[in-house]
């Protein structure tokens, strides 16, 4: 009975394959974590993408890195959980919805909070659905049953718990402070949500007259409109120019307000005029100075960026309109001294994309120092967390040292509403800066607290503000596992193992998670922080919406497949934390690098098809593990275990790019291009049965191992091949993600054998290259002579001579000592002497023949007959043995037997190559049309020499060298060097044909 041979389709279709296995994995809950399973836990919580649209290439890169780690550790037997989820992105979503309303001619206040939030939840449902589907397309191995959202019921409960605990511990307070205000979103933003941009601005110089009429002081500012809120002028008390003025007053232009001149060492005497205006309500440094000197705080700004009643005649004007008008008024009144061009840094709102306005406001704050100092102790005493690359540890530490109190309230509606209720009955029904409040976990609890403090008739109103998004994000690693409840998930998977994230949110997110976790759980929330780089565009620039140079990952997935994109992104990583560059042709929407990864998948697919067609319908398990006896089998098995070691070492140390490249080289080079070719003859029906069986076992064993090694990087194609190779049952199939990752057997690693086999492969490659150079047809077998002084190399070449003959199409192969060959060659007779000797031999034979003829001449008839025969024989002898060099060589060796000697000589019309210390010679006579080859080489040489001449003339021209761009000149030099090298190679090849 003939066994059924399972096989793959002739062409790999990534799209149907990937969709099939993504559905299978999710439907069968392959990635569902089980805290009761046992095994060392390995947990990663996803950096939650914002529900603001769709994923970008950075998300694809990050997801590919995380999924590779998770799949690898799952196959290593770890109890693995990758927890998915999304973030509500308070400011981003809120701003987007307000823009939509503006287009409709509405405001959120007209719509009302309830209706506004309905629209927000509707947007969340649509956007989150898009994002989660994109994550599914990326093939991520997350546990979808544990999917979380930062505003879901469980996480909202955790947020309230965290807020109330911090408040009760005195670590959250409400107070007036100068905050970063975004007029676009009309909300406070944290320091880390501010992006400093360098701009070309101005520095305006004004005179402030001394009130006593004795003169004036000159101040300089980049924000003239803020002078309307000035409450002092400051000088350095050690500045001899101004210290006599301390205690006097100036009259503020326009508003005619009398303000003091104060002395403060913060003032830099070398900056500007050394005399600065102080606006405590609109500048952070001025705020601190105002507190030190008990100055008034005058706010001139409305929350929308317009000026308020304190700005006098400029009330209602936009801040930038007011700036121009204030300058014009000062100039008209004679107070403007000069205007200088001035490049300086302006803080912009990361979300609102407008310059932020320092604004005095009553907000909620977290006292950050106790949290930050506690986190620093974990870092300094326990090196927790560990950063990869390590250089980010210092950046993280420096940030913790410099942190100031964290403003956590936002004047928005979308988000976690602050769990504080105001007793508005105490302040005429309004929430003011002085309205008393209670903090509670629920409205019911708030009423109970309020009644006990303010009586039964108290009226309560919850704070309308919401918490900073990063507050909920700060507790993400443990709130998603059930905190504050002591769940089994929390006990099993917390602290998580690894955080994979970009360097740009170390401050936004990483530091806040460690501070919050250190306080609430007394543990850092992850053991390792793996910081990855950015995906740069084809020009090496950062992708951004502003530049419009982003690349849609789904576009490349639709063109090349998920595995191809994932593998490309990982393989491009040259080291942990490094940026990667993605090749991309925007005109064609094509990526050569992703296409190369698709070709790799096709190569693997075709190799798997060949293997399965030659296993006689048996699985690797049925064939059994190979007991290798032949050189090639022992070599590939040694290489396989060497690659297992290399791959596991790289992944364990976050060298994912290096691991991907190593697998590529092994699979494409060693397995597909070398081993499969080496065993083809052993797979024939008439081959030795024992050798054939071992070849089949080895092929099956290595192919299955490759599928497991490569699975974390290319999960879909490996699953499809593995299912077919192992002939899984359709009713109850096993699945590759749950198989055991290959384990190293050090006894099967033979580094010496690998080095020796590399020599054989290099020799085969060289002979193939020489054949191609000489245009030797594929079906023609050649003679090859390998010369080396190394006895060890000769032994290796002799042991592998059958492989050389088979793969390089060599009929006659000689392996000789190069040194001995050179000695013998020195004693070798010259061609002319050899020819003269052979002529003498011919004359001797002629004379003998003549003598014999003369003796027979006397016999009638017979004599004439022998004369004719002798003449004919002599003519035949000369034509066969003397007319050509090959014939003379043959006749010479008959009389002077030196067969081994002559085989080792470098023949005429041969092509030569070198591998290390081995010289390869292939005689071309009788194999190719030498004259045609010579003509071809001469033509190529002429072209190369002409190129050399042209480039040399160009580079010898001072006008070109001096005026052309440096990169153009260097390009010409590089081209010249390449042309010279090419000409040199061609001359050497021609020399071999002489």
């Amino acid at each position: 009975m003939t066994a059924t041979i399972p096989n793959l389709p002739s062409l790999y279709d990534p799209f149907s394959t990937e969709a099939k296995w993504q559905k299978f994995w999710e439907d069968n809950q392959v990635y569902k974590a089980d805290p009761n399973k046992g095994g060392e836990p390995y947990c990663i919580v996803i950096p939650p993408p914002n529900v603001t649209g769709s994923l970008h290439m950075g998300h694809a890169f990050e997801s590919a890195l995380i999924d590779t780690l998770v799949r690898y550790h799952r196959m290593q037997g770890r109890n693995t959980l990758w927890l998915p989820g999304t973030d509500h992105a308070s400011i981003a979503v809120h701003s987007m919805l307000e823009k939509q309303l503006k287009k409709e001619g509405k405001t959120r206040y007209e719509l009302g909070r309830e209706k506004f939030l309905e629209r927000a939840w509707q947007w969340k449902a649509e956007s989150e659905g898009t994002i989660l589907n994109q994550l599914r397309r990326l093939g991520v191995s997350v546990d979808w049953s544990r999917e979380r959202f930062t505003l879901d019921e469980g996480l909202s409960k955790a947020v309230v718990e965290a807020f109330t605990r911090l408040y009760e511990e005195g670590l959250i307070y409400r107070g007036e402070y100068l905050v970063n205000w975004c007029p676009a979103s009309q909300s406070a933003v944290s320091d880390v949500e501010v992006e400093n941009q360098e701009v070309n601005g101005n520095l305006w110089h004004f005179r402030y007259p001394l009130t006593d009429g004795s003169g004036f002081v000159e101040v300089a500012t980049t924000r003239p409109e803020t002078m309307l809120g000035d409450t002092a002028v400051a000088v350095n008390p050690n500045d001899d120019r101004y210290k006599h003025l301390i205690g006097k007053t100036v009259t503020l232009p326009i508003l005619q307000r009398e303000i003091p001149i104060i002395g403060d060492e913060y003032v830099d005497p070398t900056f500007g005029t050394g005399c600065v205006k102080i606006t405590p309500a609109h500048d952070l440094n001025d705020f601190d100075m105002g507190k030190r000197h008990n100055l008034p705080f005058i706010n001139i700004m409305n929350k929308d960026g317009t000026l308020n009643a304190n700005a006098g005649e400029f009330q209602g004007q936009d801040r930038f309109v007011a700036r121009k008008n204030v300058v014009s008024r000062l100039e008209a009144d004679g107070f403007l001294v000069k205007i200088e061009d001035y490049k300086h840094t302006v803080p912009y709102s990361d979300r609102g994309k407008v310059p932020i306005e320092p604004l005095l406001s009553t907000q909620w704050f977290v006292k950050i120092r106790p949290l930050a100092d506690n986190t620093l102790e974990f870092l300094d005493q326990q090196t927790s967390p560990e950063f990869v690359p390590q250089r980010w540890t210092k950046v993280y530490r420096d940030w913790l040292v410099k942190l100031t109190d964290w403003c956590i309230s936002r004047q928005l509606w979308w988000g976690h509403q602050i769990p504080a209720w105001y007793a508005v009955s105490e302040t005429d029904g309004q929430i003011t800066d002085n309205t008393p409040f209670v903090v509670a976990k629920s409205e019911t609890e708030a009423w109970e607290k309020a009644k006990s403090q303010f009586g039964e008739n108290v009226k309560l109103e919850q704070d309308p503000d919401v918490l900073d998004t990063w507050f909920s994000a700060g507790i993400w690693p443990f709130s998603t596992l059930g905190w504050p409840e002591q769940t089994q998930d929390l006990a099993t998977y917390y602290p998580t193992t690894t955080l994979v994230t970009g360097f740009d949110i170390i401050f936004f997110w990483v530091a806040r998670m460690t501070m919050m976790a250190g306080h609430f759980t007394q543990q850092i929330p992850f053991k390792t922080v793996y910081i990855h780089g950015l995906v740069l565009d084809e020009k090496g620039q950062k992708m951004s919406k502003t530049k419009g140079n982003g690349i849609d990952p789904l576009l490349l997935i639709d063109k090349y497949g998920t595995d191809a994109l994932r593998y490309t992104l990982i393989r491009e990583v040259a080291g942990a934390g490094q940026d990667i560059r993605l090749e991309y042709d925007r005109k064609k929407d094509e990526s050569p690098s992703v296409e190369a990864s698709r070709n790799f998948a096709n190569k693997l697919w075709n190799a798997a098809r060949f293997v399965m067609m030659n296993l006689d319908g048996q699985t690797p398990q049925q064939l059994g593990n190979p007991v290798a006896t032949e050189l090639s089998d022992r070599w590939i098995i040694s290489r396989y275990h060497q690659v297992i070691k290399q791959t596991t070492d790289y992944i364990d140390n976050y060298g994912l790019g290096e691991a991907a490249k190593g697998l590529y080289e092994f699979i494409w080079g060693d397995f597909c291009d070398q081993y499969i070719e080496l065993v083809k003859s052993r797979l024939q029906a008439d081959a030795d049965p024992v050798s054939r069986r071992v070849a089949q076992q080895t092929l099956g064993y290595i192919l299955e191992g490759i599928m497991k090694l490569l699975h974390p990087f290319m999960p879909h194609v490996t699953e499809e091949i593995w299912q077919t190779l192992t002939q899984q049952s359709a009713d109850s199939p096993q699945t590759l993600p749950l198989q055991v990752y290959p384990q190293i057997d050090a006894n099967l690693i033979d580094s010496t054998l690998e080095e020796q086999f590399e020599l054989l492969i290099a020799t085969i490659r060289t002979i193939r290259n020489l054949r191609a150079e000489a245009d030797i047809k594929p079906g023609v077998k050649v003679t090859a002579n390998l010369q080396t002084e190394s006895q060890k190399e000769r032994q290796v070449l002799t042991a592998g001579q059958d492989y050389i003959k088979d793969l390089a199409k060599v009929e006659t192969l000689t392996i000789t000592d190069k040194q001995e060959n050179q000695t013998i060659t020195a004693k070798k007779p010259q061609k002319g002497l050899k020819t003269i000797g052979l002529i003498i031999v011919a004359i001797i034979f002629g004379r003998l023949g003549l003598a014999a003829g003369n003796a027979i001449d006397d016999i009638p008839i017979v004599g004439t007959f022998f004369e004719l025969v002798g003449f004919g024989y002599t003519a035949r002898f000369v034509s066969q043995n003397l007319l050509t060099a090959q014939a003379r060589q043959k006749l010479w060796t008959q009389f002077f037997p030196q067969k081994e000697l002559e085989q080792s000589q470098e023949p005429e019309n041969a092509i030569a190559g070198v591998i290390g210390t081995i010289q390869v010679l292939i005689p071309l006579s009788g194999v190719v049309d030498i004259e045609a080859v010579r003509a071809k080489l001469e033509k190529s040489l002429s072209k190369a020499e002409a190129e050399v001449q042209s480039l040399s003339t160009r580079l010898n021209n001072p006008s070109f060298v001096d005026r052309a761009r440096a990169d153009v000149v260097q390009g010409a030099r590089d081209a010249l060097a390449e042309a010279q090298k090419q000409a040199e190679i061609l001359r050497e090849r021609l020399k071999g044909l002489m």
Side-chain angles (χ1 to χ4, degrees), residues 652-701:
D652 287 342
N653 291 285
Y654 298 94
L656 303 187
E658 293 86 346
K661 286 188 276 285
L663 286 173
Y664 178 93
E665 291 165 3
F666 171 71
I667 294 168
W668 191 300
D670 295 340
F671 184 66
C672 296
D673 284 355
Q674 302 303 332
Y675 184 72
I676 287 180
E677 293 300 316
L678 286 168
V679 298
K680 279 183 176 178
S681 60
R682 295 166 57 193
L683 297 172
Q684 302 301 315
D686 57 352
D688 176 67
V690 175
S691 177
R692 185 172 186 270
R693 179 77 175 180
V694 174
Q696 289 176 320
Q697 290 173 328
T698 306
L699 283 169
Y701 172 72

Side-chain angles (χ1 to χ4, degrees), residues 153-196:
E153 184 178 354
L155 267 62
S156 295
K157 180 180 178 182
V159 167
V160 170
E161 179 73 22
F163 185 95
T164 54
R165 282 196 197 183
L166 289 172
Y167 177 76
E168 290 165 1
E169 293 167 5
L171 294 175
I172 282 182
Y173 65 94
R174 184 173 184 255
E176 188 178 56
Y177 199 78
L178 202 66
V179 298
N180 298 311
W181 187 263
C182 173
S185 60
Q186 293 193 36
S187 172
V189 295
S190 69
D191 290 340
V192 292
E193 292 169 303
V194 173
E195 179 184 0
N196 289 314

Side-chain angles (χ1 to χ4, degrees), residues 463-480:
D463 195 313
D465 292 350
V466 299
L467 288 169
D468 176 16
T469 302
W470 297 105
F471 190 91
S472 56
I475 63 174
W476 178 260
F478 49 98
S479 64
T480 52

Side-chain angles (χ1 to χ4, degrees), residues 233 290 449 487 567 574 576 700 845 928 941 946:
V233 170
K449 287 184 175 182
T487 64
Y567 184 75
F845 271 97
V928 296
L941 177 60

